[in-house]
Amino acid sequence: MIADIELETFINDVYEYYGFDFGSYSKASLKRRVTRIFLLDGFTNFYDFLSKVKYDPEYYKRVVDEITVNVTEMFRDPSFYKIVRNEILPVLATKPFIRLWHAGCSTGEEVYSMAILLKEAGLLDRSLIYATDINSKVLETAKKGIFPLRMMKEYSDNYRDSGGQQDFSNYYIANYGNVKFNQDLTAKMVFSQHNLVSDHSFNEFDMILCRNVLIYFDNDLQKRAISLFDESLSVLGFLALGTKETIKYSIASGKYKQLEKEKVWQKVK
Amino acid sequence: MAESKVISDCKVVIIGGSAGSLHALMDILPAIPRIDSFALVIVLHRRGGDDQTLEGLIKIKTKIPVRIIEDKVSFLPGFLYVAPSNYHLLFENNDTLALDTSEKVNYSRPSIDVSFESAAEVYGKNLVGILLSGSNADGTEGIKAIQKAGGTIIIQDPASAEMPFMPNNAILNTTPDYILNTQEILNFILSINN
């Protein structure tokens, strides 16, 4: 692994040259990610790597894309999606129009999962899902709605475990080892680049999903992101985080009510 | 052999295992009365999804208090921690734990290599790494990293392991401080910092 001092130099230089601040990222994970790309691209000397990052903006972009973790899956944690299906969507159904924000959506698998739930609840027509990520490359994939066919067995099992009763393959067309999800799902998604470290609130939402993104931030940056979500959430709106994440340390208690033991909070005032 | 080197400055004992390691753990854990001076971390290959069966099982079998791992939970001596399913477990410099959902390593998340390497970075010579039974190569790189950082490494004797591949692979690629059966591993843990 790269040394702590090398990581600090990397953070400082990236900030100085590109204005991007990795300083509030969780160090243990960042160190692993930087080491990974350093080795993957065949470097042996850290300062060769660093000068390539500094003087080659295209390479810098690659490094940022590779550092941010883009591993996701459809219906990750089926029990969470069951709660969405059975307890959250019936509440959202009382609204004339439903706005959702999927922050840190990566390649979009969870966005398509949500669209399928909305469709099955008969709500997709009056819903709009804003899906954002810091990484422009993953957003291109998400927009296309094309995913590897080999993943569908696992996703189909997750879908069923989340309470899905349809034939999962109705939602896509398979071709050449890939599948393309149906256009009626994609039509209700708006993809754009958004940086939780530096960008502001851009709309008011009835539900915000940000799952397994905050684990990469330190406590201060988590607080910033959660207050950004708070500003962007309507009263009685829902905030959903990853199964190991919490808002407990970031926001005054009493403002949000947790749904039993789930990582979902409803804004009550 | 276990008595030849006295471990007196241990802060963390980390145990990794895969197939067959749960039985070994169930031989070891119930006989440990308490651990005051170090933390115990268990990283086992386990099924994906949000599943806490393993935590539940371990809680029943140990007198050591188990702390459920959440993002940035404080990492304290005296407690037992279990790497959660579907996350890699990492160690921060300020005695907290961090989680990561990045790619599987050795087909595994949590991966033993990932946690061992991260613990070696932070705890160096104050770390004891123990690798148990398993049928996959995970753990070998992690054991190497612990040794390189000055920590102590113990491999379960392959003859006593249900699945000898994982300990064998580590023995072939490192020079372990100890190769022990489960009773000897237990005795070793009981001797730490005494």
Side-chain angles (χ1 to χ4, degrees):
Chain A
M1 276 219 231
I2 62 166
D4 288 349
I5 181 75
E6 292 170 334
L7 184 66
E8 289 307 320
T9 312
F10 171 85
I11 292 170
N12 291 337
D13 284 359
V14 164
Y15 186 68
E16 187 182 328
Y17 280 74
Y18 298 99
F20 189 93
D21 190 2
F22 278 114
S24 308
Y25 275 56
S26 166
K27 293 288 176 299
S29 179
L30 183 64
K31 192 170 173 181
R32 226 187 120 233
R33 300 301 290 176
V34 176
T35 303
R36 176 181 162 275
I37 184 74
F38 169 80
L39 296 173
L40 195 66
D41 287 352
F43 287 97
T44 50
N45 180 309
F46 187 77
Y47 292 92
D48 293 344
F49 166 71
L50 201 58
S51 54
K52 179 100 172 148
V53 171
K54 285 195 286 193
Y55 302 117
D56 181 347
E58 280 305 307
Y59 186 69
Y60 160 73
K61 206 164 165 291
R62 168 178 164 74
V63 168
V64 171
D65 286 352
E66 287 293 332
I67 285 176
T68 51
V69 171
N70 296 307
V71 177
T72 176
E73 61 187 89
M74 290 192 78
F75 297 97
R76 183 184 162 116
D77 311 316
S79 59
F80 164 73
Y81 283 94
K82 198 173 240 177
I83 297 286
V84 173
R85 190 190 288 276
N86 295 334
E87 298 185 28
I88 298 179
L89 293 189
V91 177
L92 296 183
T94 60
K95 304 212 162 216
F97 190 76
I98 305 165
R99 279 195 186 86
L100 302 99
W101 177 17
H102 209 122
C105 68
S106 187
T107 41
E109 281 84 341
E110 292 205 58
V111 187
Y112 284 84
S113 309
M114 182 55 95
I116 289 171
L117 291 192
L118 288 164
K119 187 174 164 71
E120 292 185 358
L123 301 173
L124 187 61
D125 288 343
R126 52 190 169 99
S127 299
L128 204 51
I129 311 177
Y130 291 78
T132 64
D133 201 281
I134 187 179
N135 179 334
S136 59
K137 211 168 95 189
V138 291
L139 289 172
E140 287 306 314
T141 306
K143 253 181 234 177
K144 289 186 190 129
I146 297 176
F147 303 112
L149 177 62
R150 66 185 148 78
M151 300 305 298
M152 290 307 131
K153 166 75 175 72
E154 186 186 334
Y155 294 171
S156 167
D157 290 347
N158 282 355
Y159 164 76
R160 206 193 46 235
D161 291 346
S162 78
Q165 293 179 350
Q166 306 296 310
D167 182 348
F168 189 61
S169 63
N170 288 342
Y171 290 112
Y172 59 79
I173 297 162
N175 206 354
Y176 298 109
N178 284 316
V179 307
K180 183 168 174 39
F181 277 81
N182 296 343
Q183 194 56 42
D184 62 334
L185 303 174
T186 323
K188 294 304 203 172
M189 302 172 187
V190 179
F191 292 97
S192 73
Q193 215 172 347
H194 183 276
N195 182 350
L196 291 170
V197 181
S198 55
D199 292 343
H200 295 283
S201 175
F202 58 96
N203 210 328
E204 189 173 271
F205 299 95
D206 305 299
M207 181 167 189
I208 298 175
L209 298 99
C210 183
R211 305 185 67 229
N212 298 313
V213 176
L214 300 182
I215 50 176
Y216 301 108
F217 296 168
D218 70 10
N219 291 329
D220 289 342
L221 185 52
Q222 287 188 358
K223 273 188 194 135
R224 184 193 190 275
I226 287 171
S227 80
L228 174 62
F229 297 149
D230 182 46
E231 284 165 32
S232 312
L233 202 58
S234 61
V235 175
L236 301 182
F238 296 93
L239 173 62
L241 303 180
T243 55
K244 304 296 170 196
E245 296 168 326
T246 184
I247 65 168
K248 185 159 72 180
Y249 308 112
S250 306
I251 217 150
S253 62
K255 199 171 181 189
Y256 280 78
K257 188 170 130 258
Q258 188 168 6
L259 266 71
E260 310 230 335
K261 287 181 140 179
E262 297 302 320
K263 292 311 175 79
V264 181
W265 290 264
Q266 186 173 28
K267 183 172 177 175
V268 288
K269 58 187 172 195
Chain B
M1 186 158 114
E3 280 71 37
S4 62
K5 181 174 167 188
V6 178
I7 305 287
S8 58
D9 51 0
C10 172
K11 289 184 178 159
V12 179
V13 173
I14 186 164
I15 303 178
S18 186
S21 63
L22 193 58
H23 284 145
L25 269 181
M26 291 306 157
D27 287 343
I28 297 169
L29 287 181
I32 304 175
R34 55 193 285 175
I35 48 168
D36 292 331
S37 57
F38 60 93
L40 182 58
V41 184
I42 294 173
V43 184
L44 296 195
H45 290 168
R46 49 194 301 190
R47 60 181 292 263
D50 182 23
D51 173 42
Q52 297 217 350
T53 320
L54 180 63
E55 283 84 346
L57 195 60
I58 287 175
K59 257 187 186 169
I60 294 169
K61 292 285 182 184
T62 181
K63 300 174 196 80
I64 307 166
V66 176
R67 289 201 103 191
I68 296 299
I69 296 180
E70 294 224 324
D71 176 46
K72 310 289 188 297
V73 73
S74 56
F75 183 51
L76 303 167
F79 292 93
L80 187 156
Y81 298 81
V82 183
S85 63
N86 223 359
Y87 289 87
H88 292 304
L89 174 66
L90 303 171
F91 298 78
E92 297 282 3
N93 283 325
N94 58 356
D95 291 327
T96 57
L97 298 176
L99 298 168
D100 178 316
T101 60
S102 60
E103 297 81 358
K104 290 182 179 178
V105 174
N106 301 317
Y107 313 100
S108 310
R109 189 175 51 225
S111 144
I112 300 166
D113 280 346
V114 169
S115 293
F116 278 23
E117 284 168 2
S118 177
E121 286 278 311
V122 177
Y123 294 99
K125 65 180 177 54
N126 307 114
L127 178 65
V128 174
I130 303 176
L131 191 65
L132 302 177
S133 165
S135 48
N136 149 323
D138 198 18
T140 295
E141 290 304 315
I143 279 286
K144 269 192 207 167
I146 292 175
Q147 189 159 53
K148 201 175 155 201
T152 303
I153 60 174
I154 299 172
I155 317 283
Q156 183 179 3
D157 183 349
S160 83
E162 264 176 60
M163 297 287 174
F165 183 89
M166 188 181 269
N168 264 331
N169 193 65
I171 290 167
L172 280 175
N173 292 287
T174 59
T175 40
D177 294 297
Y178 304 100
I179 299 171
L180 306 175
N181 65 31
T182 49
Q183 181 60 46
E184 292 166 331
I185 293 173
L186 169 65
N187 292 342
F188 183 92
I189 294 175
L190 293 174
S191 77
I192 289 174
N193 296 350
N194 279 330

